[in-house]
Amino acid sequence: MLIRLDGQVEKRRKKLSKEIYGTSHKISLAEAEYIYEEGTRKVIIGTGQIGFVKLSKKARKFFKEKNIKTKLFPTPEAIKLWNKSKGKTIAMFHITC
C-alpha cells in the first residue's frame, strides 16, 4: 500500500521490483521512481511484519540524490511513525508478510 502526499491511498506497484529481483522484498529503482513525488521530504517504508523489505542500492541512491530521508521499520512500527509524521511524507507499507 502506498500513501501519497495528498493522503490518497494506492496499491503498491511491487511488480516493478519483482520483475527485476524476482521478489517484492527488494525495492528497485523503478519502484522508487514510482513512489517519488515532487516535494517529498521523507519516505516511510513498512518492511513487513518482521522486516524483509530492503531498498536496492540504486533506490537508496535515488532517494539520497533527491534529498529524501528514508525510514525503514517493520510495518507495525512504520504505521505508528506515519500516524505521528508531519510534513511532506509518503508511506509505503509491505503488508503481505
Side-chain angles (χ1 to χ4, degrees):
M1 169 174 44
L2 181 64
I3 304 175
R4 294 287 183 187
L5 291 177
D6 64 3
Q8 189 173 29
V9 177
E10 299 178 14
K11 186 175 178 181
R12 179 182 170 205
R13 292 209 177 157
K14 58 186 172 183
K15 287 182 184 179
L16 294 171
S17 294
K18 200 168 188 176
E19 288 173 351
I20 295 169
Y21 298 112
T23 181
S24 62
H25 290 149
K26 192 172 200 178
I27 297 174
S28 68
L29 174 59
E31 188 173 3
E33 290 171 339
Y34 178 75
I35 292 169
Y36 173 75
E37 282 184 74
E38 189 68 38
T40 302
R41 299 273 98 324
K42 184 181 352 177
V43 175
I44 297 171
I45 298 174
T47 59
Q49 291 297 313
I50 54 175
F52 280 139
V53 174
K54 307 287 184 219
L55 286 173
S56 67
K57 288 180 184 178
K58 290 180 180 179
R60 187 175 303 282
K61 182 180 177 188
F62 172 79
F63 287 129
K64 187 175 181 179
E65 288 173 350
K66 297 284 186 185
N67 293 317
I68 297 171
K69 294 179 184 177
T70 55
K71 304 283 186 178
L72 285 78
F73 293 97
T75 298
E77 292 175 44
I79 291 169
K80 289 176 186 174
L81 182 61
W82 164 253
N83 287 333
K84 294 178 184 177
S85 70
K86 294 181 174 28
K88 303 210 177 224
T89 304
I90 290 176
M92 194 283 295
F93 301 117
H94 182 75
I95 54 175
T96 56
C97 65

